Amino acid sequence: MAIITLTTDFGEKDHFAGAIKGAIYSELSDVRIVDISHSISPFSISEAAYIIQNAYTSFPKGSIHIIGIDAELNPENKHIAVLLDGHYFICANNGIMSMICTEINPERIVQINIHENIVSSFPVLDVFVKVACHIARGGTLDVVGKRIEDIKPIQNLRPYVNDDQTQIIGSIIYVDNYGNIITNIKRKFFENTQKGRSYKIHARNHSFNTIYNKYSEVVDFTKPPAERQSEGKGLVVFNSSNYLEIAMYKSNTSTVGGASTLMGLKLMDTITVNFLKD
C-alpha cells in the first residue's frame, strides 16, 4: 500500500488540505495519506525544508511526499519531482529540496510537464496529486517530466565562515511550537570549524558559552526543586536533528513565552559564533 505525505502552509481552517486528500482517494482508494504539517508559515521555504528533511526519513522507502509551499506555476517557479534516498518528492523548484540535497544527491530530477493537459488554478490539487498517484501506481518519473540536473538553491541555507575560521554567521530557519529557534548550523559543521576551541554564541543581546546535549542539563538537580529557578532559563542545545537551537527550558509561548518572544528573535535573524583563542 502506497504512502503519500502532505506538507503545506494551508492551515486547518480552509478546505485545501481536505480537498487534496479527497482527490487522492478518488484516484487511489487503498492509499495511506499522512499529514506531516499544514502549519508551515505562509510561503516559508526554510521552514518547509527543515520539516520535510527531518520527517521523511521516518517513512519507509518508496513513500511519496507532496510539498505544497509557494507552488503557483510561473516562469520562475517550475514544478519538479525528485527521487532521492529512495523517496519521491513533488514540489515547486523554489529551493525547498536544496536543504536535503546538500547532504544526499538526488537519483533523478524531472521538471513536470503535464500541465498542458490539466486546467488548474490549484496545482497542488490538480498537478501534484496526479503525479503522486502516477508514482503510487508504479509509474516512472520520465512519464510526467523532462529530466534536469539541478534544482534551485535556497538562500541562507548554509552558514558562513570567515577566512580565518574564527567566526560562523548563521541564521534562524525555523521557530518550533515551543518558541525555540533553530539555526542553520549543524553539529558536524560547528565541530569541524571549532576544532576544540572555546566559543561564545551571540543572538541579539544574548550570549552563551555552553552547548548542552539535552534541555534538562541546564537544571541543577542537586538543589531542592523550590531553589532551582530553571524554568524559563535560556540555553543552547544541538537538537534531535543535530541543528544548533536556542531554547528556553520548559517554555510556553501562550504563557511564559519562548526564546523567540523573550529574546526578540525571528526567522532569518543572524546568529554568530565566535571562536576564542586558548
Side-chain angles (χ1 to χ4, degrees), residues 184-277:
N184 60 351
I185 303 170
K186 296 205 75 171
R187 181 194 290 265
K188 185 176 180 181
F189 184 92
F190 181 95
E191 292 176 347
N192 287 343
T193 307
Q194 177 193 14
K195 294 181 172 59
R197 291 175 291 179
S198 301
Y199 54 84
K200 183 161 286 190
I201 300 166
H202 300 276
R204 283 193 181 271
N205 58 341
H206 300 271
S207 62
F208 307 87
N209 55 18
T210 301
I211 301 176
Y212 295 101
N213 292 308
K214 56 184 181 180
Y215 303 98
S216 61
E217 286 184 355
V218 76
V219 181
D220 184 355
F221 287 102
T222 63
K223 294 182 178 179
E227 298 178 11
R228 292 172 186 169
Q229 298 180 337
S230 52
E231 291 189 16
K233 185 175 182 180
L235 68 144
V236 178
V237 297
F238 282 115
N239 65 17
S240 59
S241 302
N242 282 317
Y243 282 88
L244 188 75
E245 175 181 316
I246 299 177
M248 305 292 290
Y249 184 64
K250 290 193 174 181
S251 59
N252 186 328
T253 55
S254 62
T255 55
V256 296
S260 59
T261 54
L262 296 177
M263 298 183 187
L265 298 167
K266 60 185 184 300
L267 283 174
M268 307 318 298
D269 276 356
T270 296
I271 302 298
T272 303
V273 181
N274 291 316
F275 296 104
L276 311 176
K277 294 182 179 180

Side-chain angles (χ1 to χ4, degrees), residues 53-270:
Q53 181 189 41
N54 291 297
Y56 89 88
T57 53
S58 296
F59 290 87
K61 301 284 187 179
S63 295
I64 304 158
H65 308 281
I66 292 176
I67 311 172
I69 310 291
D70 189 26
E72 182 174 290
L73 183 68
N74 64 55
E76 297 180 351
N77 202 43
K78 303 294 187 179
H79 296 155
I80 57 174
V82 181
L83 174 59
L84 180 148
D85 196 22
H87 293 251
Y88 294 91
F89 302 85
I90 304 162
C91 59
N93 190 11
N94 54 16
I96 285 175
M97 289 302 300
S98 60
M99 183 178 287
I100 306 175
C101 292
T102 57
E103 299 185 349
I104 304 173
N105 291 324
E107 298 161 49
R108 183 165 298 188
I109 311 168
V110 300
Q111 183 170 294
I112 297 169
N113 58 13
I114 63 172
H115 303 84
E116 61 187 29
N117 300 318
I118 300 172
V119 178
S120 174
S121 59
F122 187 3
V124 180
L125 175 69
D126 301 316
V127 178
F128 291 9
V129 166
K130 293 288 185 187
V131 174
C133 291
H134 166 76
I135 296 169
R137 294 189 188 99
T140 64
L141 294 185
D142 292 327
V143 172
V144 297
K146 178 181 179 181
R147 191 177 301 195
I148 60 175
E149 298 300 324
D150 299 310
I151 59 171
K152 185 182 294 185
I154 186 174
Q155 293 185 351
N156 299 319
L157 173 66
R158 293 179 62 82
Y160 167 81
V161 181
N162 65 355
D163 291 338
D164 60 4
Q165 301 282 298
T166 59
Q167 185 180 74
I168 296 174
I169 300 176
S171 56
I172 298 169
I173 59 171
Y174 185 68
V175 179
D176 71 12
N177 189 54
Y178 300 95
N180 299 327
I181 63 165
I182 291 85
T183 76
N184 60 351
I185 303 170
K186 296 205 75 171
R187 181 194 290 265
K188 185 176 180 181
F189 184 92
F190 181 95
E191 292 176 347
N192 287 343
T193 307
Q194 177 193 14
K195 294 181 172 59
R197 291 175 291 179
S198 301
Y199 54 84
K200 183 161 286 190
I201 300 166
H202 300 276
R204 283 193 181 271
N205 58 341
H206 300 271
S207 62
F208 307 87
N209 55 18
T210 301
I211 301 176
Y212 295 101
N213 292 308
K214 56 184 181 180
Y215 303 98
S216 61
E217 286 184 355
V218 76
V219 181
D220 184 355
F221 287 102
T222 63
K223 294 182 178 179
E227 298 178 11
R228 292 172 186 169
Q229 298 180 337
S230 52
E231 291 189 16
K233 185 175 182 180
L235 68 144
V236 178
V237 297
F238 282 115
N239 65 17
S240 59
S241 302
N242 282 317
Y243 282 88
L244 188 75
E245 175 181 316
I246 299 177
M248 305 292 290
Y249 184 64
K250 290 193 174 181
S251 59
N252 186 328
T253 55
S254 62
T255 55
V256 296
S260 59
T261 54
L262 296 177
M263 298 183 187
L265 298 167
K266 60 185 184 300
L267 283 174
M268 307 318 298
D269 276 356
T270 296

Side-chain angles (χ1 to χ4, degrees), residues 8-11 38-45 47 69-70 267:
T8 77
D9 59 1
F10 297 153
H38 295 296
S39 299
I40 307 296
S41 298
F43 305 103
S44 179
I45 304 303
E47 279 193 27
I69 310 291
D70 189 26
L267 283 174

